[in-house]
Amino acid sequence: MGLENNSQKLLSKIATNNKHGENSPYFDGWKAYESNPFHPTKNPQGVIQMGLAENQLCFDLIEEWIKNNPKASICTPEGVNQFRHIANFQDYHGLPEFKNAVANLMSKVRGGRVRFDPDRLLMSGGATGANELIMFCLADPGDAFLVPSPYYPAFVRDLCWRTGLQLIPVQCHSSNNFMITREALEEAHKKAQEENINVKGLIITNPSNPLGTTIEKETLKSIVSFINENNIHLVCDEIYSGTVYDTPKFVSVSEIIQEMEDIKKDLVHIVYSLSKDMGLPGFRVGLVYSYNDEVVNCGRKMSSFGLVSSQTQYFLAAMLSDDKFMDKFLVESSRRLRARREFFTKGLEKVNITCLPSNAGLFFWMNLRSLLKEKTFEGEMKLWRLIINEVKLNVSPGSAFECSEPGWYRVCFANMDEETVEIALMRIRAFVNGREKGVKKVEMKRWKSNLRLSFSSRRFEENVMSPHSPIPHSPLVRAT
């Protein structure tokens, strides 16, 4: 205790406060995976990582492009002649060819229905940095942003930890598939005003994380009208815009504001990245697109704290500018995401597990309410601990996403091989069948027998699937 108090005196309040959000079941699941990670041969009874929204389904396409385009890298004999130019200091406005390529990609995934000005793009280190950058531009410590629930658990870290802001959940419900309603927005806003909280804006994710759904056009119009009438900002996190694999099509807020009249465009800001659509989270490419001139000017100054490396910009500019490749990539990525989602959810249907209908993202929203012995959030957590410790699957409980109803869990499906998906499904089926028969604990041996292991992915040759959590192990879960 003495050492802890001494550390708090030596360190800053920002460094030592508890607003990082790591004390959450969302991160606890990652810790459980880290302590006992699944490997098909070295640790077949380990925890399978299904809490990581990572798109690994199209690495082969990017690898093929890299082999065919060695000049895109300054670290190859073919591209080394550009080394000195790119290795020198680059202005934090970003390489023009990179910003042009990103603006073109953003237009492409929106069907060419809207164009983006490259000069309005701000760079940051991944969507995490982009979200924080826009918050620093728009609000002061103590201010608040409304956010429809369920929402991404790490928003607490991204939006609040260092900015001193707060989030106010806008309650959405399964009765209408968790759609955002004008009534819910007004209720949350009114309650905040009654509590003398200064609401600076609303943040939405479209497509939604964790629901895997896109927001309907009329709903977006209602949202834009709401923020205009209340003169508050709208931040649209559209980092999954290129992962739409089924109808309805994705509609961006950028399309809405060019159709609606008398709209204050300077209240609208878009967050984007290449982590999900392109499956490149390790490249740390986050972007803010703002219709507000002052935000663009201020944000550009702030972006100097989290620039994308010039080497990364140079490489990506070449790849994203290859229209033939990008057209093929986006189509094939959507096809593979849809196939994986259908394979997984149809496997769950065999044991009567349903999921919220979805058309985008790298995850689905699984309904396990029927398995809850207690229809409460405490019951949800009890079931989650069983899934972590006995079934050895890291899925994320709905309460971590501020879901208004117990029994929902987010399942990520794009960060593993098909064979791993099959093992996960076998574990779930054995668990559900065991509960129906009154078996207290299903033996892991059932999941080990008669498996056709044909893992071809190179990531299994030397290392366990990444990433490894930097957060200390949690006392809340065993998973060993």
Side-chain angles (χ1 to χ4, degrees), residues 403-476:
C403 184
S404 60
E405 306 167 12
W408 294 91
Y409 299 78
R410 191 190 73 167
V411 180
C412 299
F413 59 76
N415 65 340
M416 63 192 77
D417 284 358
E418 289 185 6
E419 291 84 355
T420 309
V421 174
E422 291 180 357
I423 295 172
L425 283 171
M426 292 173 66
R427 292 184 180 187
I428 293 172
R429 290 171 189 160
F431 175 69
V432 173
N433 291 332
R435 285 177 70 85
E436 291 177 351
K437 296 176 182 178
V439 178
K440 292 185 177 181
K441 184 174 182 180
V442 181
E443 292 297 326
M444 288 290 288
K445 291 180 181 179
R446 294 189 185 183
W447 306 327
K448 188 177 180 181
S449 60
N450 300 320
L451 287 180
R452 296 178 292 102
L453 294 180
S454 57
F455 293 84
S456 58
S457 176
R458 290 192 306 168
R459 71 176 181 277
F460 284 125
E461 291 179 5
E462 299 294 337
N463 302 306
V464 175
M465 188 169 62
S466 63
H468 294 283
S469 170
I471 305 170
H473 298 325
S474 168
L476 299 182

Side-chain angles (χ1 to χ4, degrees), residues 40 49 75 79 121 139 182 208 214 264 361 384 401 407 415 430-431 449 452 479:
Q49 172 63 294
C75 298
L121 280 171
R182 180 64 180 259
S208 167
T214 50
K264 303 172 186 175
W384 174 73
F401 298 80
N415 65 340
F431 175 69
S449 60
R452 296 178 292 102

Side-chain angles (χ1 to χ4, degrees), residues 388-407:
I388 288 281
N389 293 318
E390 295 186 14
V391 190
K392 302 295 178 68
L393 299 178
N394 174 29
V395 300
S396 306
S399 55
F401 298 80
E402 293 293 330
C403 184
S404 60
E405 306 167 12

Side-chain angles (χ1 to χ4, degrees), residues 153-424:
F155 270 166
V156 175
R157 173 199 65 196
D158 299 0
L159 307 176
C160 306
W161 183 28
R162 300 196 298 183
T163 64
L165 304 184
Q166 57 182 312
L167 299 180
I168 299 176
V170 177
Q171 298 297 338
C172 303
H173 307 280
S174 63
S175 57
N176 68 343
N177 289 337
F178 297 99
M179 287 177 55
I180 305 167
T181 65
R182 180 64 180 259
E183 293 74 21
L185 290 172
E186 291 176 346
E187 180 180 350
H189 189 240
K190 181 180 178 181
K191 183 178 179 182
Q193 289 180 316
E194 291 173 348
E195 296 176 0
N196 294 318
I197 298 174
N198 186 30
V199 176
K200 289 302 294 284
L202 165 69
I203 182 166
I204 60 174
T205 57
N206 183 32
S208 167
N209 176 8
L211 303 178
T213 56
T214 50
I215 301 177
E216 296 178 353
K217 189 172 186 178
E218 292 306 312
T219 300
L220 282 172
K221 287 183 177 181
S222 176
I223 290 171
V224 171
S225 295
F226 172 79
I227 63 106
N228 271 261
E229 292 169 14
N230 290 282
N231 200 37
I232 59 176
H233 293 278
L234 175 61
V235 176
C236 301
D237 185 328
E238 297 186 349
I239 66 173
Y240 290 97
S241 54
T243 67
V244 179
Y245 51 80
D246 209 341
T247 55
K249 68 180 181 181
F250 170 70
V251 179
S252 169
V253 70
S254 58
E255 300 173 54
I256 300 300
I257 62 175
Q258 74 178 8
E259 293 180 7
M260 297 179 68
E261 297 180 356
D262 301 321
I263 293 300
K264 303 172 186 175
K265 288 187 176 182
D266 60 350
L267 292 175
V268 179
H269 323 274
I270 297 172
V271 172
Y272 189 56
S273 84
L274 301 183
S275 297
K276 311 303 180 181
D277 289 357
M278 298 300 299
L280 301 173
F283 279 44
R284 308 311 301 146
V285 178
L287 302 136
V288 172
Y289 188 91
S290 178
Y291 292 90
N292 187 310
D293 292 340
E294 291 187 28
V295 169
V296 171
N297 291 333
C298 294
R300 183 163 291 128
K301 297 172 186 175
M302 290 188 176
S303 68
S304 61
F305 290 98
L307 291 177
V308 179
S309 75
S310 55
Q311 178 182 344
T312 299
Q313 291 184 58
Y314 181 77
F315 169 79
L316 290 174
M319 185 170 68
L320 299 182
S321 298
D322 187 338
D323 286 330
K324 183 177 180 181
F325 168 76
M326 289 305 302
D327 289 341
K328 173 186 175 182
F329 179 91
L330 292 173
V331 170
E332 181 62 13
S333 176
S334 295
R335 187 194 69 79
R336 294 183 187 185
L337 286 170
R338 180 176 182 175
R340 174 61 63 81
R341 197 241 184 228
E342 286 187 358
F343 177 79
F344 209 129
T345 54
K346 288 186 181 300
L348 294 176
E349 288 174 3
K350 294 180 180 180
V351 286
N352 299 316
I353 293 177
T354 61
C355 304
L356 186 77
S358 58
N359 65 319
L362 312 175
F363 32 71
F364 52 82
W365 199 228
M366 179 172 65
N367 186 357
L368 296 185
R369 189 173 179 83
S370 62
L371 297 183
L372 298 184
K373 293 184 177 180
E374 306 167 22
K375 310 299 182 183
T376 63
F377 288 110
E378 183 179 350
E380 175 183 279
M381 290 303 297
K382 288 181 180 179
L383 179 60
W384 174 73
R385 291 187 181 96
L386 286 175
I387 295 173
I388 288 281
N389 293 318
E390 295 186 14
V391 190
K392 302 295 178 68
L393 299 178
N394 174 29
V395 300
S396 306
S399 55
F401 298 80
E402 293 293 330
C403 184
S404 60
E405 306 167 12
W408 294 91
Y409 299 78
R410 191 190 73 167
V411 180
C412 299
F413 59 76
N415 65 340
M416 63 192 77
D417 284 358
E418 289 185 6
E419 291 84 355
T420 309
V421 174
E422 291 180 357
I423 295 172

